[in-house]
Amino acid sequence: MFPAATPRRMPALSSPASATSTSDPAHTARPTGAGGMLDRCRLGGSWLVLTFRQIANGTATDPTHCSVADFQTIMAVTNSRNIPVLPVGDVLRTYL
């Protein structure tokens, strides 16, 4: 893994959600889909901060909640694209 081109620029996706429409950028299908935020992160050598407000058992009904299944999908896609996952503090200590 190489340091990001702009190390202090840390794009974030707050509350990837299951209960929003699929056209909403926060819907879990958007960051994981082809050309989505995870692809841009990997291809651009940048960082992406994912913030989950609540991971819900069963079907997420609140637009700020992510279902367990969608959370697992996000993690599986991250893993399949060989994107390292680190706490922000570790990243800052390593690359700044």
Side-chain angles (χ1 to χ4, degrees), residues 75-95:
M75 294 300 106
V77 169
T78 300
N79 187 48
S80 72
R81 293 181 180 152
N82 297 313
I83 299 171
V85 176
L86 298 166
V88 171
D90 289 358
V91 172
L92 294 175
R93 278 189 293 282
T94 303
Y95 294 108

Side-chain angles (χ1 to χ4, degrees), residues 37-50:
M37 291 181 91
L38 290 172
D39 274 351
R40 291 193 305 269
C41 169
R42 181 179 56 85
L43 295 172
S46 64
W47 330 48
L48 176 61
V49 177
L50 298 176

Side-chain angles (χ1 to χ4, degrees), residues 5-85:
T6 312
R8 287 191 168 75
R9 182 172 185 261
M10 296 172 61
L13 177 60
S14 181
S15 267
S18 302
T20 56
S21 74
T22 55
S23 63
D24 186 324
H27 190 278
T28 54
R30 302 285 292 197
T32 60
M37 291 181 91
L38 290 172
D39 274 351
R40 291 193 305 269
C41 169
R42 181 179 56 85
L43 295 172
S46 64
W47 330 48
L48 176 61
V49 177
L50 298 176
T51 305
F52 295 90
R53 285 192 168 60
Q54 183 169 344
I55 299 174
N57 287 318
T59 303
T61 56
D62 186 292
T64 64
H65 296 177
C66 183
S67 70
V68 170
D70 282 346
F71 176 79
Q72 290 171 335
T73 297
I74 292 169
M75 294 300 106
V77 169
T78 300
N79 187 48
S80 72
R81 293 181 180 152
N82 297 313
I83 299 171
V85 176

